[in-house]
């Protein structure tokens, strides 16, 4: 696509672009040529093919997404500076805390030349549960970064309220980056066959968690909750997701499960999550913080009630007693155990199904696309 307007989308790991592919189409519809800069250390050729199919050019810059002040990020900052010097972008949209900060820092001076810079937070990196060091570090990063952009977009009410305390003049909220509701709702699957495939007997209650295996996702707490139940053999806890915090987290979960007689299945990254949602009985999203938590919404699309921690975006769709159960303390295994017992009653789950299906409509993909385009138009029209 040849255009005199150029936009840059920046994320940490390239795989994150699967949440943002529609942004490429939005920007094309607005007359922009689109570049994507990201870290492709995992060699995601299928993502590269999708970017090419959508007409976006890919540029690789490595980034350490775990810690802001590393040699790798210093080198990444220099590459961002060189890229921004070589390419004359009219619009920069940066995502995630560390890349968002480095890109805004590398963009110093560009706003005076007419470039608009938008930072999209997919969950501020600190909450009331964070330790003092984490809270102070990321609060300072976001505070300084907020001075270097034209707009901040958040995806939940709590983060919007926090962002409004910073220095950016324009703070918006969208209802997430959008869920393809039909993909997760309108699924025909042979439940017995699918359960057999993943090693879960049909007479067991299947508890499903989807998300990277990391400290933040807090998957282990569900295993600890099941260990407290007298009838724990009724349940199978299935986790779908890649290692992100090191194999020691998975090993710790499985070691605990074995020692305590809890049935846990680690399935790794799966392309059939929409089918797995339809063979699950209970969904769970036990995160310590979560911008929104698409996995929880996907399970609700299948009519499956969700146990979720009462943090940030999860509160937007897990409504206690209506679409699942909210757990106030994400470290309290007893509270999770009580929630599991409550949703073990099929009649309770069936009663919640219609509410689960109804609440997801506000998180639809088209709704998110409309929200984003409106915000981009508003920011770009501001002198």
């Amino acid at each position: 696509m040849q255009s005199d307007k150029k936009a840059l989308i920046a994320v940490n790991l390239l795989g994150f672009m699967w949440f943002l592919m529609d942004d490429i189409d939005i920007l094309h519809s607005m007359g922009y040529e689109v570049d994507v800069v990201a870290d492709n250390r995992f060699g995601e050729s299928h993502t590269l093919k999708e970017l090419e199919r959508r007409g976006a050019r890919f540029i690789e810059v490595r980034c350490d997404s775990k810690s802001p002040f590393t040699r790798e990020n210093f080198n990444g900052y220099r590459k961002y500076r060189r890229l921004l010097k070589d390419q004359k972008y009219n619009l920069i949209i940066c995502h995630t805390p560390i890349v968002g900060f480095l890109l805004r820092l590398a963009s110093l001076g560009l706003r005076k030349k007419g470039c608009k810079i938008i930072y999209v937070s997919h969950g501020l990196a600190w909450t009331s549960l964070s330790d003092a060091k984490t809270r102070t570090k990321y609060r300072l990063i976001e505070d300084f970064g907020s001075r270097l952009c034209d707009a901040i977009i958040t995806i939940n009410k709590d983060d919007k309220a926090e962002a409004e305390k910073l220095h950016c003049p324009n703070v918006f909220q969208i209802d997430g980056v959008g869920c393809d509701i039909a993909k997760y709702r309108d699924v025909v699957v042979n439940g017995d066959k699918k359960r057999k495939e993943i090693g879960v007997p049909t007479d067991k209650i299947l508890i499903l968690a989807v998300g990277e295996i990391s400290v933040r996702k807090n998957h282990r707490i569900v295993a600890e909750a099941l260990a407290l139940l007298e009838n724990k053999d009724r349940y199978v806890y299935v986790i779908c997701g890649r290692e992100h915090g090191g194999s020691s987290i998975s090993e710790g979960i499985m070691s605990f499960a074995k020692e305590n007689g809890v049935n846990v299945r680690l399935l790794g990254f799966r392309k059939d999550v929409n089918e797995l949602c339809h063979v699950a009985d209970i969904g769970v999203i036990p995160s310590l913080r979560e911008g929104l938590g698409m996995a929880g919404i996907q399970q609700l699309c299948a009519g499956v009630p969700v146990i979720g921690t009462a943090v940030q975006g999860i509160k937007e769709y897990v409504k206690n007693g209506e679409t699942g159960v909210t757990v106030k303390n994400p470290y309290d295994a007893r509270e999770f155990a009580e929630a599991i017992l409550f949703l073990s009653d099929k009649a309770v789950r069936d009663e919640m199904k219609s509410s689960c299906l109804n609440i997801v409509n506000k998180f639809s993909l088209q709704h998110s696309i409309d929200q984003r385009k409106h915000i981009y138009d508003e920011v770009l029209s501001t002198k």
Side-chain angles (χ1 to χ4, degrees), residues 17 40 50 54 76 120 204 235 250 271 277 287 293-294 345:
M17 278 303 300
N40 189 28
E50 182 63 16
R54 292 182 184 248
V120 186
K204 302 297 183 183
Y235 305 90
S250 294
K271 294 183 178 180
C277 288
S287 306
M294 193 61 71
D345 186 334

Side-chain angles (χ1 to χ4, degrees), residues 4 10 22 24 60 64 79 117 180 184 191 198-199 209-210 216 218 230 233 236 250 363-364 375:
D4 59 351
D22 296 287
I24 296 172
E60 180 163 20
D64 183 344
K79 290 179 180 178
I117 300 174
D180 184 347
Y184 293 90
I198 61 174
V210 179
R216 178 173 70 88
N218 197 31
E230 292 182 5
D233 60 325
V236 179
S250 294
F363 303 103
S364 74
I375 292 169

Side-chain angles (χ1 to χ4, degrees), residues 355-374:
S355 295
C356 294
L357 295 171
N358 288 333
I359 202 168
V360 298
N361 291 322
K362 68 177 290 189
F363 303 103
S364 74
L365 183 57
Q366 188 57 54
H367 179 54
S368 174
I369 289 171
D370 292 342
Q371 286 181 313
R372 281 178 275 165
K373 189 175 187 305
H374 176 76

Side-chain angles (χ1 to χ4, degrees), residues 32 90 111 114-118 149-151 169-170 172 374-383:
Y32 284 88
N90 308 96
R111 293 169 66 206
C115 179
K116 296 291 186 179
I117 300 174
I118 299 173
C149 55
D150 298 283
N170 302 299
F172 302 92
H374 176 76
I375 292 169
Y376 299 164
D377 282 336
E378 183 173 336
V379 173
L380 290 164
S381 65
T382 304
K383 298 293 184 181

Side-chain angles (χ1 to χ4, degrees), residues 60-109:
E60 180 163 20
V61 173
R62 291 285 177 95
C63 171
D64 183 344
S65 59
K66 296 179 182 177
S67 177
F69 308 113
T70 64
R71 181 185 295 274
E72 188 169 53
N73 284 340
F74 178 72
N75 291 333
Y77 166 78
R78 291 192 301 177
K79 290 179 180 178
Y80 290 142
R81 288 285 293 177
R82 193 177 308 126
L83 172 65
L84 298 180
K85 183 179 179 181
D86 293 342
Q87 303 292 326
K88 308 302 180 185
Y89 293 110
N90 308 96
L91 172 64
I92 297 172
I93 305 176
C94 48
H95 300 258
T96 64
I98 294 175
V99 166
F101 176 70
L102 294 175
L103 234 307
R104 282 178 285 176
L105 192 61
S107 303
L108 278 171

Side-chain angles (χ1 to χ4, degrees), residues 152-319:
I152 294 175
I153 299 175
T154 65
I155 61 173
N156 65 68
K157 294 176 183 177
D158 285 2
D159 284 354
K160 182 174 187 287
E162 286 296 319
E164 287 175 334
K165 299 174 185 176
L166 304 176
H167 305 281
C168 183
N170 302 299
V171 177
F172 302 92
Q173 181 195 342
I174 61 174
D175 296 306
V177 292
C179 177
D180 184 347
I181 293 173
K183 176 181 178 181
Y184 293 90
R185 181 191 61 205
D186 305 333
V187 175
V188 177
V189 59
N190 183 321
D192 290 351
K193 184 178 179 181
K194 179 59 67 172
R195 281 193 170 219
K196 184 177 181 180
E197 176 190 322
I198 61 174
V200 178
T202 55
D203 63 339
K204 302 297 183 183
I205 295 175
L206 195 163
I207 301 173
L208 178 64
V210 179
E212 66 185 31
I213 297 177
S214 65
V215 172
R216 178 173 70 88
K217 292 296 185 179
N218 197 31
H219 292 307
R220 175 175 168 141
I221 196 69
V222 180
E224 293 178 4
L226 289 171
L228 297 175
L229 301 180
E230 292 182 5
N231 55 352
K232 55 193 171 187
D233 60 325
R234 290 180 64 198
Y235 305 90
V236 179
Y237 179 31
V238 174
I239 306 173
C240 301
R242 288 193 178 101
E243 294 276 2
H244 189 69
S247 60
S248 61
I249 296 177
S250 294
E251 290 166 1
I253 293 171
M254 296 308 294
S255 175
F256 176 87
K258 184 177 181 180
E259 291 172 6
N260 291 274
V262 175
N263 194 342
V264 177
R265 297 265 198 271
L266 299 183
L267 301 188
F269 176 77
R270 301 283 297 202
K271 294 183 178 180
D272 60 347
V273 169
N274 59 337
E275 296 181 354
L276 293 174
C277 288
H278 280 265
V279 299
D281 298 297
I282 301 170
V284 63
I285 183 163
S287 306
L288 302 180
R289 61 178 177 83
E290 198 71 65
L292 193 64
M294 193 61 71
I297 294 170
Q298 291 166 353
Q299 294 182 71
L300 293 174
C301 287
V304 176
V306 174
I307 299 170
T309 46
V311 300
Q312 291 165 294
I314 296 175
K315 295 185 296 185
E316 310 271 319
Y317 54 84
V318 177
K319 303 297 182 181

